[in-house]
Amino acid sequence: MPTSHTPARLSRLEKATISRELHALLSARAQTGPAEPALDAFIPELDLVALRLDAHVGGKITARAVRVASGCRVEEADAIVDTWTRQIESFLLIAGRHRRSPHAPAARALHQAAFPHGIAFIDDRVPDENAKVRAALKALAAPEHVETLMHLSFPMAWLDTLEAALAESDAAFAEKNSAHGRIDEHVSLGKDTEAQWLDVVLRLRKYIDYRAATADANKRVECQALIAPLRDALDRAKAAAESRATRRAKKHAPKHEPEAGADRP
């Protein structure tokens, strides 16, 4: 059988579906008898591997959805942090440029303390940017600058707003990282479960092949029915692969130019 059509190459969702279908067929056969311990032993194995595959398929989908949602949350929170950082920095910059205010020098000094290199860090990664903004907040909230902010009529509520925006940004970024970690976990554990699934179905197929090697026509028919979910999935995969190969061949087939004068009467 070509490598591309082996059970290992089926998708995780297909493997889970096949497990459930094989489990249902073997369970129905066990209920009607006769007892066949070697065959019936596959029933709990298929049930367990189906549950694990379903968990990793569903868990990965959920984690991806959370990552997308938290990614949007990160962007929204970061935009708010950017806006309030710009607003505070601009306020101090403008106050320091006041030509007649006696508090302009203090405003310039405070701007230098809070934003020594300006706000170019606005485009840094979220954790790096947030660390620099927190450092600026710490400088602005220092006791020695309280009087300066008061003389400048600085809205102190802005600092609280920026602090809250930073907390939301940190939480959103942590949620996104956590979701990414859960995706990696499901990918890793899912691979282990897929290896377990492959072991079960290959052993089952081998047993079914041995069981069908008998003169009992009814048993051969039963064997074909019991393994049908796996066989049908592989047939579908093969047909799909052949269809893709045909389309590729047609796409890359050389185009023949019409012979000179072919259209002349």
Side-chain angles (χ1 to χ4, degrees):
M1 184 179 293
T3 302
S4 59
H5 309 136
T6 62
R9 299 298 294 272
L10 296 171
S11 72
R12 190 172 296 175
L13 182 59
E14 287 176 308
K15 290 170 182 174
T17 301
I18 292 167
S19 298
R20 290 192 299 272
E21 292 176 348
L22 290 172
H23 177 269
L25 290 170
L26 292 183
S27 297
R29 195 221 67 85
Q31 289 176 2
T32 58
E36 192 172 339
L39 181 60
D40 296 342
F42 286 99
I43 296 174
E45 289 191 72
L46 288 167
D47 186 38
L48 179 60
V49 79
L51 289 173
R52 289 179 175 174
L53 285 170
D54 282 338
H56 294 308
V57 169
K60 185 178 177 182
I61 292 172
T62 300
R64 278 180 172 171
V66 171
R67 186 179 65 176
V68 171
S70 59
C72 295
R73 183 184 172 194
V74 167
E75 291 296 326
E76 292 174 2
D78 187 52
I80 296 173
V81 170
D82 291 354
T83 297
W84 283 101
T85 300
R86 288 190 178 99
Q87 188 158 316
I88 292 171
E89 191 265 349
S90 296
F91 181 98
L92 295 176
L93 196 63
I94 293 169
R97 291 175 177 172
H98 198 302
R99 295 194 303 274
R100 297 295 185 90
S101 172
H103 305 295
R108 290 194 293 273
L110 181 52
H111 181 276
Q112 179 62 26
F115 306 101
H117 306 292
I119 55 172
F121 59 80
I122 284 292
D123 294 324
D124 289 353
R125 289 179 63 254
V126 168
D128 298 332
E129 175 188 338
N130 288 0
K132 293 182 174 86
V133 174
R134 287 193 184 281
L137 270 177
K138 184 177 180 180
L140 291 168
E144 61 268 27
H145 297 309
V146 172
E147 188 174 350
T148 296
L149 293 175
M150 181 184 67
H151 289 311
L152 296 175
S153 299
F154 180 85
M156 298 301 291
W158 287 5
L159 300 183
D160 294 334
T161 301
L162 181 54
E163 180 68 41
L166 281 170
E168 167 62 11
S169 179
D170 288 343
F173 191 81
E175 180 184 64
K176 181 180 178 181
N177 276 354
S178 176
H180 187 77
R182 289 196 295 275
I183 291 174
D184 290 343
E185 181 181 356
H186 283 298
V187 168
S188 177
L189 294 177
K191 287 180 179 178
D192 293 340
T193 304
E194 285 182 293
Q196 180 186 4
W197 175 88
L198 185 61
D199 173 70
V200 173
V201 297
L202 290 182
R203 285 190 290 109
L204 174 62
R205 186 167 68 175
K206 184 176 181 180
Y207 181 84
I208 291 291
D209 288 344
Y210 173 79
R211 187 175 184 266
T214 174
D216 188 339
N218 290 332
K219 181 163 286 191
R220 288 200 301 272
V221 171
E222 181 185 57
C223 287
Q224 289 295 315
L226 290 175
I227 203 66
L230 177 62
R231 185 191 63 242
D232 292 347
L234 293 175
D235 288 346
R236 288 193 298 270
K238 180 180 179 181
E242 291 175 347
S243 177
R244 288 192 298 269
T246 300
R247 290 197 299 271
R248 283 195 299 268
K250 288 182 178 178
K251 181 178 180 181
H252 297 293
K255 296 180 179 179
H256 299 286
E257 296 293 336
E259 296 182 6
D263 295 334
R264 296 178 184 176

